[in-house]
Amino acid sequence: MDNLRSIYYIQVFETFVIIAIKRSLSSIIREVLYSRCTMTEVKISVRNLIEFVLRHGDISSKSAASSPARLEEGTRAHVAHQKMRLDEDGSYIKEYYLKHTREIDGCLFTVDGRADGLIHDKYIEEIKSTYVPLEDIEDGSLMHWAQVMFYGFMYLEDKQGEAIELKLTYCNLDDNGHKTFDRSCTIEELRSFVEDVITGYMRFIRERLRWQELRDVSLKALEFPFERYREGQRELAVAVYGTIKEGRKLFAQAPTGTGKTVSTLFPSLKALGEGYLDRIFYLTSKGTGKTVAEETVEVLKTKGTRIRTLTLTGKEKACLNETVECEPEKCPFAKGHLDRINSCLLEMLQNEETFTREKLEEYAIKHMVCPFEMSLDMSLFSDLIICDYNYVFDPRVYLRRFFMDIREKYMFLVDEAHNLVDRSREMYSSTILKSEVMEAKKAAKGKSKKLEKSINDMNKIFIAERKELEIIGGRRTSDAVPEELLQHAEKFITAFEGFQKDHPEEFEEKEKILDLFFKAHNFVAAGAMFREGYIAYTESDPRDVRFRIFCMDPGEILVEIFKRARASVIFSATLTPMKYYMDVLGGEEGDYRMALKSPFPKENLQVFLDRRIDTRFSARENSFESIADNIHAMAMMKKGNYMAFFPSYKYMNNVYEVFCEKYGTKIDTFLQTPSMEDAEREIVMASFRSSREKSYTAFMVLGGVFAEGIDLKGEALIGASVVGVGYPQVSFERDLIRDYFEKEGLGYEYAYIYPGMNRVLQAGGRVIRTEEDKGTILLMDLRYSWNSFKSLLPEHWLPLSEWKRQDLL
C-alpha cells in the first residue's frame, strides 16, 4: 500500500513550483530562464514543498492512508480547537490564506497554503490531530514545525514584520486533549530556514527547467514518424489535437490496424510541446497495451523526440523481494528509503529519459530504495505516464499526488476503452463477508477492548442479517446503503488506526485484522459514492453472509473523474453502439464522437456465417459435433494458424473433446486453461510463430487474454472462428444491470447483447493486423442472421457469406 508519507509526497513537480525568496538565482538558472520565450510560472504548496525536501527515515505498510473516518475525525478536532481559540479571542482567524509570489529573472515563483489559525501581529498556529498520547510528544515534529515556519515567513514578508510567535498544537483524537508548543522567530531566522529548504529543492527545479527546454524544442519540431498516414490516422490525429485545444472529450472508434496509439500520442505530444498540456496519462487495461505504447514512444524517439516516459508497474511485480513485506525490519529497501530517495531521483533524472521497470530496478538496487515507491516519485517528473486504469479511476489506489490538488493540465488517453465498463463497475463496488469479520475477531481477541468491540458490533449486523434472510429467502436488495454497517465499519477503521499507533509491533494473524481494515476502508468509500445507478444487496448461504454495494452504472462517477483532465480521448476498435459506451463511460452532451472505417482492403478479409448452428443454452449439446466439423474444415482450407473462440470454458472443453476424437491426429491444437501465468502466455504466443507441417488451431475463450490486445501479423494467424454471440454469463448482477437499464427499454442490450458482441468483434479483430494480411472469420450462430445482431457488425465484415462446409470437404 502507499504509505502515509508517500500519499502526501509533493504533487510537485506536477506543477513545478518554488517559493521565491532569494533575490537572485544561479547563473545556470538565469541562462535557462532567459532562453524561454514566455515567462515560466512555477508553483507549489507549502506542505508539498516541505514533505518533499525534508522527508527522512523508513517506509512502512503500517503507515496507511488515512480513512475517510480518520480524516473526518481530524477535521472535527481542527474545527473544535479553532472554535476554542475564537472563544478565547474574537480576533482569531482560521484557515488564513498565504501566498508569496515574486518575479525572478523573468520567472514567476509562487508558494501558497493556509495557516490553520492566527491573530494578526501576535501568532500563527498549525494544528495536527494524533492518536499519540500527548505526554509522549516532547517538542513536535520537524515536518510540522517546518510548515508553520514557512507560514511565519510568508506572513512577515507580506506584513513587513520583524518577528512572530509560532504555535504548533496537537489534538488527541482519543481524549480530545490538546498540547501546544511555542516558538518566537525573527524574519532573519525564518528566511535562513526557508533558504536551506529552497536550496535542496533548487536542484530539482534546475533539472526540470533544463529538461523542459530540451523537450519543448524537440516536440515543436516533431513530425509524424511514418512516411504516410494510414486511412483514418490523420483524421483521428486532427480530432485528438482539436479536442485538446478545446478542452473536451472525444469518443473514437478506430478499427484494428488504424494505428490508434500513434494517432493519439502524436497529437498529444505536439500539444504538450505547445503548452496546451502539462502531462499525459496513457491508460490501459492489459500489459499488452502498455507494451504497444512503449514501442510507439520508442519510434517517436528515433525521430528526435525528447520525452520522459514512465511505465508504472504494480507493487507485487515491482518488488525486489520474494514476498511483499514493506517493513524496515524485513526489507532493506524500505529501511532508510526516504533518506536516500532524493539523490536517487536526481541521478536518474540526469541520466535517463525512459523510466522502465528494468531501469527503475537498476537504480533502486544501486541506491537501496524501494522501486515501487521510487516509480511513484518518478511520476512527478514524467511527461508521459503509461499505466493501468486504476491509477486514475480507482478511488482506492489512484495517484493522489496528481488529483487531490490539481494544478496542471492533464490529458487522459484511455486505450481499449470498452474494458473500462466492467473495470469501473468493480472499482466502485465493494463487498464485506461475515467470514472476514470472524477471522479478524479471532485475531483481535485480548488485544484491545475498543478494537474487539468495534469488530463485535460489525459481526452482530451480519448475524441479524442472516436471521432476516432465513425468513425472506437467501437474498435481498435495497436502493439505500447499509447505513448501520457503514457506521460500524467506520468505527472499526478508527479503532484499528488508534490500535496501530499504540501497538505497531507484529503478532500472529495481525494480517487478518489488516485485511478487514482494507475491506472496511473500501466498503466505506463505495458507500460514500452511492447514488443513482447503485444498489445494495445481501445474500446468505450455509457458509457465509455478504453485504455488497454494487455499481450498475459508473457513468456519473466517470464524468467527475474526466473533469480532472483538460481533455480526454476514449478510444477502442470496438465502441459499438456508440450511445451505449457514451452512456456508461461518462459521455456528456457536447462530447465529440467519431467512427472510422477499416484502413485495410475489404477483400483481404472473408467473413462467413453458419446460421444452421444454434448455440443458445437449450440447444448447445446438439451443436458440439457441427462446431468441431466447422473448425476442422476451416483449418483444412489452407495450412496455417487458427483460433476458435467460445463463450465459456465448459462449452469449449465439450467441443474440444469431440474435436480431438474425430480430428486429433490431423491438426495441432492448444486448449486454453483459466488463470494462466505470464510466462505460459508468452509460450502460447510463440507457438503461433513456430513452423509446422500441418495446421494449428488454438481453442480460446471470448473475452480472455488471447481474445484481444494481441498482435499476430502476417501468417502468424490467418483465421478465427467464433462460437455464439459472446454473452456474459447469466448472473444475478447482470440481471440487476438489465433491470436498471430497462427503464430506457434497453436492459437486455446493455447487460448482455452489447457486451457480448464487443467480445465477438475483439476476437475477430485478431485476424487482420496489417495492410498485407489476409484472413478468414467464421461466425457460428443463427442470431447473426437477425437484424438486431447483424447491425452491430463492422461494415467491412458485411455482407456475410454463407458457410458451406460440404463444399470444402
Side-chain angles (χ1 to χ4, degrees), residues 27 75 120 319 335 343 361 376 527 565 589 597 638 694 697 793:
S27 59
T75 300
H120 280 300
C319 184
K335 187 171 181 60
S343 59
E361 285 184 1
L376 296 179
E589 186 176 350
K597 295 182 179 180
K638 177 183 176 182
K694 48 189 176 182
T697 298
L793 296 176

Side-chain angles (χ1 to χ4, degrees), residues 478-495:
S478 173
D479 292 330
V481 294
E483 289 285 0
E484 189 177 8
L485 179 57
L486 285 170
Q487 291 170 7
H488 285 295
E490 289 183 354
K491 289 178 181 178
F492 160 68
I493 291 169
T494 301

Side-chain angles (χ1 to χ4, degrees), residues 608-613 630 778-781 803 805:
F608 293 95
L609 167 63
D610 190 340
R611 69 184 70 206
R612 296 165 299 181
I613 292 180
N630 279 349
L778 169 59
L779 305 176
M780 290 183 264
D781 194 291
W803 176 255
R805 186 176 68 248

Side-chain angles (χ1 to χ4, degrees), residues 81-96:
H81 186 78
Q82 288 167 331
K83 184 178 183 304
M84 182 195 74
R85 290 291 194 200
L86 190 59
D87 291 341
E88 292 174 350
D89 189 330
S91 60
Y92 184 85
I93 303 172
K94 61 182 182 180
E95 304 301 327
Y96 188 84

Side-chain angles (χ1 to χ4, degrees), residues 521-548:
H521 207 302
N522 295 340
F523 199 75
V524 169
M529 292 186 287
F530 201 94
R531 64 191 75 194
E532 175 70 20
Y534 267 84
I535 197 165
Y537 70 87
T538 54
E539 57 186 3
S540 174
D541 60 44
R543 296 168 297 175
D544 221 333
V545 180
R546 79 169 182 161
F547 278 78
R548 171 83 162 157

